[in-house]
Amino acid sequence: MIGTLISIVLLLIVLGVIIWAIQALLPLIPLPPPFATVINVLITVIVVLVIVYIIAGLLGVVHPLRL
């Protein structure tokens, strides 16, 4: 149980740094406002889905992908 909680916290820290870096570097690419907003929303949705899937795998709800 403690190992799972530590894994979840570490996962959230790593993914938080990755999404922060992507969102910090995204304004460096010149895009019109609607496309930049759509890309930000897509990045957020994809990251949330990945986080939910990985946490569900750590908790044993689903079987994570074997790469």
Side-chain angles (χ1 to χ4, degrees):
M1 181 71 175
I2 298 294
T4 302
L5 292 176
I6 292 172
S7 297
I8 290 172
V9 169
L10 291 176
L11 170 76
L12 291 176
I13 290 172
V14 169
L15 287 177
V17 169
I18 291 171
I19 193 170
W20 169 80
I22 290 171
Q23 289 183 342
L25 294 175
L26 194 60
L28 299 176
I29 302 170
L31 292 171
F35 294 117
T37 303
V38 168
I39 289 175
N40 275 332
V41 169
L42 283 176
I43 289 171
T44 304
V45 168
I46 289 171
V47 168
V48 166
L49 289 175
V50 167
I51 289 172
V52 167
Y53 185 74
I54 292 174
I55 290 176
L58 289 172
L59 294 175
V61 177
V62 295
H63 297 289
L65 294 174
R66 302 284 183 208
L67 299 178

